[in-house]
């Protein structure tokens, strides 16, 4: 059992119910659509001296997330508790991802470089795949060097929708992304910049 006081609450987003958890240090966890809430609650229980459905710590994160989904907020101003972000390179990847501005994208290579290992695109993708703080840490803004979206824990349609909502995908980009790829074609297996992103 950890030492943090952790509170959690739920948010009805356009994509389903999300669990939002925070400690006295800041936002700790946001679940993805379709993710089992119990899994997130088990994760935070490991860190918590006390975990409760208490509105005080999560009120501001929920307010900002609601404003984001309503397109009324383009920059989160929340303190972050990085306790579930891992250590070393993985944590640096998530911190680099947190710096991507609204309406912009970066490639996996760019994020790996920003995190200190320019040739570690795959490892960067793995770290993004474990992102416990989407969309506040906006791993949906990390795409392939080819311009294709790449994977996303909430599914590629959600990644496309969030980027489109933010204005990061114009009509030409959407056409490029949605072009069909023949089965077994060049895009059926990961390239050097393909990675599992959250």
């Amino acid at each position: 059992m950890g030492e943090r006081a952790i509170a959690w609450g739920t948010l009805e987003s356009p994509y389903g119910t999300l669990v939002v958890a925070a400690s006295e240090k800041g936002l700790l966890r946001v679940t993805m659509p379709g993710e089992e809430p119990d899994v997130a609650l088990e994760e935070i229980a490991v860190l918590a001296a006390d975990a409760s459905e208490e509105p005080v710590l999560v009120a501001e994160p929920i307010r900002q997330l609601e404003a984001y989904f309503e397109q009324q907020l383009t920059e989160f101003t929340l303190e972050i508790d990085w306790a579930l972000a891992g250590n070393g390179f993985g944590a640096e990847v998530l911190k680099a991802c947190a710096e991507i501005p609204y309406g912009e994208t970066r490639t996996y290579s760019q994020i790996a470089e920003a995190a200190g290992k320019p040739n570690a695109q795959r490892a960067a993708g793995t770290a993004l795949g474990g992102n416990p703080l989407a969309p506040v840490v906006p791993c949906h803004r990390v795409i392939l060097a080819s311009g294709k979206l790449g994977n996303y824990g909430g599914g590629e349609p959600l990644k496309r929708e969030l980027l489109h909502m933010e204005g990061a995908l114009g009509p030409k980009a959407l056409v490029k992304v949605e072009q069909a790829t023949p089965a077994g074609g060049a895009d059926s297996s990961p390239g050097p910049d393909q990675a599992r992103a959250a």
Side-chain angles (χ1 to χ4, degrees), residues 99-126:
E99 299 299 318
I100 305 172
Y102 187 99
E104 297 184 18
T105 59
R106 300 289 185 272
T107 66
Y108 292 102
S109 296
Q110 288 172 320
I111 290 298
E113 183 173 4
K117 294 185 178 180
N119 298 316
Q121 306 96 297
R122 290 180 183 274
T126 298

Side-chain angles (χ1 to χ4, degrees), residues 20 33 36 39 55-56 62 66 70 82 103 129-130 140 145 147 167 176 179:
V20 181
E36 287 295 330
V39 174
V56 175
I62 287 175
E66 287 175 337
E70 291 168 2
W82 297 99
H140 63 278
K176 182 177 181 181
Q179 285 176 342

Side-chain angles (χ1 to χ4, degrees), residues 13 32 44 79 84 95:
S13 82
M32 299 290 285
I44 66 175
E79 295 296 322
L84 295 175
K95 289 174 182 178

Side-chain angles (χ1 to χ4, degrees), residues 37-57:
D38 289 348
V39 174
L41 294 176
E42 287 172 9
E43 288 177 0
I44 66 175
V46 174
L47 301 172
D50 176 44
S52 61
E53 192 171 6
E54 164 59 52
V56 175
L57 289 176

Side-chain angles (χ1 to χ4, degrees), residues 26-37:
L27 182 67
L28 180 67
R29 184 72 160 88
V30 182
T31 59
M32 299 290 285
E35 187 177 354
E36 287 295 330

Side-chain angles (χ1 to χ4, degrees), residues 49-173:
D50 176 44
S52 61
E53 192 171 6
E54 164 59 52
V56 175
L57 289 176
V58 293
E60 184 59 16
I62 287 175
R63 186 195 71 77
Q64 290 195 29
L65 281 161
E66 287 175 337
Y68 167 77
F69 287 123
E70 291 168 2
Q71 300 183 53
Q72 301 297 315
L73 181 125
T74 60
E75 182 179 357
F76 291 102
T77 57
L78 300 168
E79 295 296 322
I80 299 294
D81 184 338
W82 297 99
L84 295 175
N87 298 303
F89 179 67
E92 293 306 311
V93 165
L94 294 179
K95 289 174 182 178
C97 180
E99 299 299 318
I100 305 172
Y102 187 99
E104 297 184 18
T105 59
R106 300 289 185 272
T107 66
Y108 292 102
S109 296
Q110 288 172 320
I111 290 298
E113 183 173 4
K117 294 185 178 180
N119 298 316
Q121 306 96 297
R122 290 180 183 274
T126 298
L128 292 168
N131 179 11
L133 292 159
V136 177
V137 173
C139 52
H140 63 278
R141 296 176 191 160
V142 184
I143 64 173
L144 303 178
S146 66
K148 294 186 180 297
L149 297 189
N151 296 329
Y152 187 60
E156 187 177 315
L158 176 56
K159 185 172 187 173
R160 182 185 297 110
E161 189 164 343
L162 291 175
L163 289 171
H164 189 58
M165 178 186 80
E166 295 178 359
L169 293 180
K172 291 182 180 178

